[in-house]
Amino acid sequence: MATSGTFAFAPSAADCVLNAFARLQIRATELTQQHLADAYNESNLLQVEFANRQPNLWTSELYTVTLVASTATYTLPARLIAITAAFVSTTSGSTTTDMIIGPVSASEYAAYPVKAQTGIPNVYWYNRQATPQITLFPVPDDATTYTLSLRVLAQQEDASMASGTTLDLPYRWMDAFTAGLAARLAQIYKPEMADRLDARAERSWTIAAKEDQEDVPLTIAPAIGGYYS
């Protein structure tokens, strides 16, 4: 049996738009400037929806901040959407030591009586404003230089229809994107098809999301040490 021998299927954003309209039985020769303007907006709004239905592992990246003594709060780039892991690093000679720190809520952070207490940070409050901030506790001391490393989920690059630009998403999400875009465009151009295409889009998203996860064992152990002390 002969196969292609290639692994190059990477349709442009414009190709995905044409396919989405085809699912609405709107052919390329029927498209107007308004169709393309709506497709541009709905493509980017669909990426907002994907971001809100976290996690999307292909958007994961490492972001680092050099901490400043006696400074608790740091402004993060607006494109950072969620923090999945955080650790503080110290370096002595050629050895770097990483210490995982955990999240607290706004109310938990508010309950700390002495927020200016200094030491090695061991928790953080992620303040999810339009431009997010992270606040550490204890506040970094001046004993050494600390580096904060954040494993984050970031915003996708904008979807653009021009010049054969491809989408900022992996192969396994192509169908979910096209199905989602078709469902969104159906609300504008073919409302009678919207329910059916919504169901198809949800199915495609579920399949992609099920695959987009780390395949590792989960171990849950109770903290029972106190019972045997």
Side-chain angles (χ1 to χ4, degrees), residues 65-74 121 136 139-142 144-148:
V65 183
T66 299
L67 302 183
V68 178
S70 302
T71 300
T73 299
Y74 301 81
L136 304 172
V139 181
D141 58 29
D142 60 2
T144 187
T145 299
Y146 302 103
T147 300
L148 174 66

Side-chain angles (χ1 to χ4, degrees), residues 31-80:
L31 297 180
T32 66
Q33 186 175 356
Q34 185 62 57
H35 284 97
L36 299 180
D38 289 333
Y40 169 79
N41 287 327
E42 293 299 335
S43 292
N44 283 284
L45 289 172
L46 178 60
Q47 293 192 160
V48 174
E49 179 184 336
F50 282 179
N52 285 331
R53 301 181 77 168
Q54 296 284 351
N56 297 317
L57 295 187
W58 80 87
T59 67
S60 177
E61 62 183 65
L62 189 65
Y63 181 80
T64 60
V65 183
T66 299
L67 302 183
V68 178
S70 302
T71 300
T73 299
Y74 301 81
T75 298
L76 302 176
R79 66 184 185 83
L80 303 189

